[in-house]
PDB file of all heavy atoms in Angstrom:
ATOM      1  N   LEU A 462     -25.785  29.567  -7.625  1.00  0.00           N
ATOM      2  CA  LEU A 462     -25.022  28.594  -6.850  1.00  0.00           C
ATOM      3  C   LEU A 462     -25.882  27.977  -5.757  1.00  0.00           C
ATOM      4  O   LEU A 462     -26.708  28.649  -5.150  1.00  0.00           O
ATOM      5  CB  LEU A 462     -23.817  29.274  -6.190  1.00  0.00           C
ATOM      6  CG  LEU A 462     -22.566  29.525  -7.030  1.00  0.00           C
ATOM      7  CD1 LEU A 462     -21.523  30.245  -6.181  1.00  0.00           C
ATOM      8  CD2 LEU A 462     -22.001  28.235  -7.574  1.00  0.00           C
ATOM      9  N   MET A 476     -23.673  30.826 -15.606  1.00  0.00           N
ATOM     10  CA  MET A 476     -22.688  30.764 -14.539  1.00  0.00           C
ATOM     11  C   MET A 476     -21.633  29.700 -14.816  1.00  0.00           C
ATOM     12  O   MET A 476     -20.436  29.907 -14.560  1.00  0.00           O
ATOM     13  CB  MET A 476     -23.366  30.508 -13.192  1.00  0.00           C
ATOM     14  CG  MET A 476     -22.395  30.484 -12.026  1.00  0.00           C
ATOM     15  SD  MET A 476     -23.217  30.542 -10.425  1.00  0.00           S
ATOM     16  CE  MET A 476     -23.751  32.263 -10.388  1.00  0.00           C
ATOM     17  N   LEU A 727     -13.572  35.388  -3.511  1.00  0.00           N
ATOM     18  CA  LEU A 727     -14.240  36.136  -4.575  1.00  0.00           C
ATOM     19  C   LEU A 727     -15.759  36.088  -4.379  1.00  0.00           C
ATOM     20  O   LEU A 727     -16.280  35.312  -3.565  1.00  0.00           O
ATOM     21  CB  LEU A 727     -13.864  35.563  -5.944  1.00  0.00           C
ATOM     22  CG  LEU A 727     -14.154  34.075  -6.189  1.00  0.00           C
ATOM     23  CD1 LEU A 727     -15.561  33.857  -6.729  1.00  0.00           C
ATOM     24  CD2 LEU A 727     -13.133  33.487  -7.162  1.00  0.00           C
ATOM     25  N   GLU A 728     -16.433  36.909  -5.153  1.00  0.00           N
ATOM     26  CA  GLU A 728     -17.905  36.912  -5.139  1.00  0.00           C
ATOM     27  C   GLU A 728     -18.410  36.581  -6.535  1.00  0.00           C
ATOM     28  O   GLU A 728     -17.907  37.107  -7.533  1.00  0.00           O
ATOM     29  CB  GLU A 728     -18.442  38.270  -4.696  1.00  0.00           C
ATOM     30  CG  GLU A 728     -19.960  38.311  -4.608  1.00  0.00           C
ATOM     31  CD  GLU A 728     -20.494  39.617  -4.046  1.00  0.00           C
ATOM     32  OE1 GLU A 728     -20.002  40.054  -2.983  1.00  0.00           O
ATOM     33  OE2 GLU A 728     -21.387  40.209  -4.696  1.00  0.00           O
ATOM     34  N   ILE A 729     -19.385  35.700  -6.621  1.00  0.00           N
ATOM     35  CA  ILE A 729     -20.000  35.356  -7.896  1.00  0.00           C
ATOM     36  C   ILE A 729     -21.473  35.043  -7.658  1.00  0.00           C
ATOM     37  O   ILE A 729     -21.825  34.369  -6.693  1.00  0.00           O
ATOM     38  CB  ILE A 729     -19.283  34.164  -8.572  1.00  0.00           C
ATOM     39  CG1 ILE A 729     -19.825  33.952  -9.994  1.00  0.00           C
ATOM     40  CG2 ILE A 729     -19.386  32.897  -7.750  1.00  0.00           C
ATOM     41  CD1 ILE A 729     -18.958  33.053 -10.853  1.00  0.00           C
ATOM     42  N   GLY A 730     -22.324  35.582  -8.510  1.00  0.00           N
ATOM     43  CA  GLY A 730     -23.756  35.362  -8.355  1.00  0.00           C
ATOM     44  C   GLY A 730     -24.291  35.872  -7.036  1.00  0.00           C
ATOM     45  O   GLY A 730     -25.263  35.320  -6.502  1.00  0.00           O
ATOM     46  N   GLY A 731     -23.643  36.906  -6.472  1.00  0.00           N
ATOM     47  CA  GLY A 731     -24.090  37.463  -5.201  1.00  0.00           C
ATOM     48  C   GLY A 731     -23.674  36.662  -3.985  1.00  0.00           C
ATOM     49  O   GLY A 731     -24.089  36.968  -2.865  1.00  0.00           O
ATOM     50  N   ILE A 732     -22.836  35.635  -4.173  1.00  0.00           N
ATOM     51  CA  ILE A 732     -22.395  34.787  -3.069  1.00  0.00           C
ATOM     52  C   ILE A 732     -20.884  34.916  -2.907  1.00  0.00           C
ATOM     53  O   ILE A 732     -20.138  34.873  -3.881  1.00  0.00           O
ATOM     54  CB  ILE A 732     -22.783  33.319  -3.316  1.00  0.00           C
ATOM     55  CG1 ILE A 732     -24.305  33.182  -3.302  1.00  0.00           C
ATOM     56  CG2 ILE A 732     -22.159  32.398  -2.273  1.00  0.00           C
ATOM     57  CD1 ILE A 732     -24.801  31.798  -3.646  1.00  0.00           C
ATOM     58  N   ARG A 733     -20.457  35.076  -1.666  1.00  0.00           N
ATOM     59  CA  ARG A 733     -19.038  35.205  -1.364  1.00  0.00           C
ATOM     60  C   ARG A 733     -18.447  33.825  -1.129  1.00  0.00           C
ATOM     61  O   ARG A 733     -18.944  33.046  -0.316  1.00  0.00           O
ATOM     62  CB  ARG A 733     -18.847  36.065  -0.115  1.00  0.00           C
ATOM     63  CG  ARG A 733     -17.405  36.442   0.187  1.00  0.00           C
ATOM     64  CD  ARG A 733     -16.903  37.489  -0.785  1.00  0.00           C
ATOM     65  NE  ARG A 733     -15.500  37.847  -0.517  1.00  0.00           N
ATOM     66  CZ  ARG A 733     -14.770  38.592  -1.324  1.00  0.00           C
ATOM     67  NH1 ARG A 733     -15.298  39.054  -2.455  1.00  0.00           N
ATOM     68  NH2 ARG A 733     -13.532  38.880  -1.032  1.00  0.00           N
ATOM     69  N   LEU A 734     -17.387  33.495  -1.882  1.00  0.00           N
ATOM     70  CA  LEU A 734     -16.716  32.213  -1.735  1.00  0.00           C
ATOM     71  C   LEU A 734     -15.323  32.426  -1.172  1.00  0.00           C
ATOM     72  O   LEU A 734     -14.605  33.334  -1.593  1.00  0.00           O
ATOM     73  CB  LEU A 734     -16.598  31.502  -3.095  1.00  0.00           C
ATOM     74  CG  LEU A 734     -17.893  31.138  -3.811  1.00  0.00           C
ATOM     75  CD1 LEU A 734     -17.578  30.455  -5.136  1.00  0.00           C
ATOM     76  CD2 LEU A 734     -18.767  30.246  -2.942  1.00  0.00           C
TER      77      LEU A 734
END
Side-chain angles (χ1 to χ4, degrees):
L462 280 178
M476 182 167 287
L727 57 88
E728 182 175 310
I729 188 165
I732 294 175
R733 189 73 181 170
L734 298 180

